[in-house]
Amino acid sequence: MENFIHTFQVGEKVCDDLIAYHAQNDEYKSAGVAGGIVNHNIKESTDVIFYNSSQDDRVQRYFQQLQMGFDQYITKFNLQHLNLSTEDHNLIQHYPIGGGFKVWHFERDKGDESRQLVYMTYLNDVPDGGTAWKYQDFEIEAKKGLSVIWPSDFTHTHKGIVSPTSEKWIATGWFNYQ
């Protein structure tokens, strides 16, 4: 049975560039929030927002590669009729050793009906970390450049697999109706 979780690859240099963008960005950097609050028992990260309108070449190269994976997804599932684009703000997240999004959640659990698909790219290898999807009984190990797109609703409840030995870097965001 199809699980509607699609993977594709982004170039390693793009991953390195996004980590550098995070490191150099102070304006849009903050502690990660879940449900509008900082609570390290739920989510422990440092997040940097990057915008669709960014003129930074590193961000634009990422969006180009993300678009290729999105095109694969909509072709694979015959969704060409949907008018979707990335949400205006997107995130680069750094999880320290022992950090992560630690609880089961889904992207529309706070009533955000515009989010249709989720995307995520692992920016580094984490041999003992990744992501788990509850109802699909499916896990992915974090591998540099591995990118994933999946539906945003309760059917795809997921959480991070927290690494006790390595930090984890991801880029993530949502595809919304335009």
Side-chain angles (χ1 to χ4, degrees):
M1 178 192 276
E2 180 59 60
N3 66 14
F4 297 95
I5 299 171
H6 174 69
T7 61
F8 61 99
Q9 197 68 30
V10 165
E12 289 192 11
K13 177 153 180 19
V14 169
C15 297
D16 295 340
D17 286 348
L18 289 179
I19 291 172
Y21 181 87
H22 185 286
Q24 297 165 356
N25 190 307
D26 290 325
E27 183 176 10
Y28 301 119
K29 188 178 287 184
S30 65
V33 298
I37 62 169
V38 174
N39 180 338
H40 290 171
N41 292 321
I42 296 172
K43 179 184 177 193
E44 183 179 358
S45 66
T46 302
D47 298 355
V48 166
I49 298 171
F50 64 101
Y51 292 93
N52 291 349
S53 60
S54 174
Q55 297 302 304
D56 190 287
D57 289 341
R58 299 168 293 187
V59 170
Q60 290 305 310
R61 281 191 296 275
Y62 177 65
F63 277 132
Q64 290 167 358
Q65 292 192 20
L66 177 62
Q67 183 66 48
M68 289 188 292
F70 174 72
D71 290 345
Q72 293 169 5
Y73 191 92
I74 63 171
T75 298
K76 180 178 181 178
F77 298 112
N78 196 27
L79 300 174
Q80 293 87 342
H81 62 285
L82 296 180
N83 192 16
L84 300 176
S85 65
T86 53
E87 191 168 300
D88 184 47
H89 75 280
N90 309 269
L91 298 170
I92 301 168
Q93 299 179 327
H94 171 253
Y95 298 111
I97 294 170
F101 207 129
K102 302 171 183 179
V103 300
W104 293 110
H105 66 284
F106 58 96
E107 306 306 311
R108 290 171 61 167
D109 64 353
K110 299 298 180 224
D112 191 340
E113 299 301 318
S114 61
R115 292 178 176 173
Q116 300 303 305
L117 298 171
V118 185
Y119 74 83
M120 177 178 55
T121 299
Y122 298 108
L123 304 178
N124 68 318
D125 291 337
V126 185
D128 56 354
T131 306
W133 285 265
K134 186 175 187 174
Y135 301 118
Q136 288 70 26
D137 193 27
F138 184 69
E139 293 184 356
I140 291 180
E141 182 179 311
K143 293 282 190 187
K144 186 175 188 174
L146 181 63
S147 301
V148 190
I149 297 176
W150 70 91
S152 61
D153 222 333
F154 73 93
T155 57
H156 286 74
T157 297
H158 60 285
K159 69 178 179 177
I161 299 170
V162 175
S163 171
T165 63
S166 301
E167 60 186 1
K168 181 168 73 172
W169 294 85
I170 66 168
T172 190
W174 309 271
F175 289 98
N176 297 353
Y177 284 122
Q178 291 185 13

